[in-house]
Amino acid sequence: MALDELTEDLARSAAGGDHRALGELLRRIEPDVMRHCSRILPYRQDAEEASQDTLLAVARNIGRFEGRARFSTWLHIVTANCARTTYRSLKRRAAEQSSDELPMQKPDVRRVSVIAGSRLDLLDAMEALEADKPDLAQALVLRDIVQLDYNEVAEHLGIPLGTAKSRIHQARKYVQAALGDDYR
């Protein structure tokens, strides 16, 4: 999400308590947030739910945006976190519903699109990484989902550049192992 300078200015004003700026900011970022959520969640309704959660999180937490980094970076992180939270919630609801009916089965790869199937598998792998090694997950999200460069990842996490590169490399190896041989 590369946002223009007007959007960045609106974010700074909204963080300072300007409610008019917040309303305009939410209106301007909504299409970008929806596009980003759609890249993470394969089904439109799920992406819409994550998008609404993201906009609500921005509205509630804009005061925490300190302006040290660009708003677009902060928004990427909020969006990725909300999309992953929506995914976990949907997965939990599906498990609860299926426990009353039939045992939960993995989707038949012949009937699920390759892209959608791989996204779901990737979200499962990211969830496992976050549970096991949250420091690695945070670095991977900033680099591969938010698409910050290595220097920005290191700066955002407050760690040396070499440590950031190492965490990203380890995270990618973890995710690749979790995805299995089909994804190599």
Side-chain angles (χ1 to χ4, degrees), residues 149-166:
D149 66 36
Y150 290 101
N151 288 321
E152 291 172 316
V153 171
E155 181 182 323
H156 186 78
L157 295 176
I159 57 177
L161 178 60
T163 303
K165 288 181 177 181
S166 175

Side-chain angles (χ1 to χ4, degrees), residues 9-49:
D9 291 340
L10 283 169
R12 285 188 286 279
S13 296
D18 183 342
H19 295 291
R20 183 202 58 76
L22 177 60
E24 179 64 17
L25 175 68
L26 294 174
R27 187 190 65 71
R28 290 179 67 93
I29 66 172
E30 185 175 13
D32 291 322
V33 167
M34 180 60 191
R35 248 187 321 279
H36 192 69
C37 288
S38 294
R39 288 185 199 130
I40 298 171
L41 296 165
Y43 302 106
R44 181 164 180 80
Q45 296 87 348
D46 300 345
E48 287 172 351
E49 183 176 334

Side-chain angles (χ1 to χ4, degrees), residues 95-121:
E96 289 168 357
Q97 289 173 352
S98 67
S99 67
D100 296 335
E101 301 163 9
L102 298 172
M104 193 165 156
Q105 300 174 1
K106 283 201 164 222
D108 181 352
V109 292
R110 294 167 297 190
R111 297 173 57 203
V112 176
S113 78
V114 173
I115 293 171
S118 65
R119 284 184 189 160
L120 294 176
D121 290 348

Side-chain angles (χ1 to χ4, degrees), residues 2-10 28 32 70:
L3 303 176
D4 62 17
E5 285 307 312
L6 176 58
T7 306
E8 295 287 337
D9 291 340
L10 283 169
R28 290 179 67 93
D32 291 322
R70 294 185 56 82

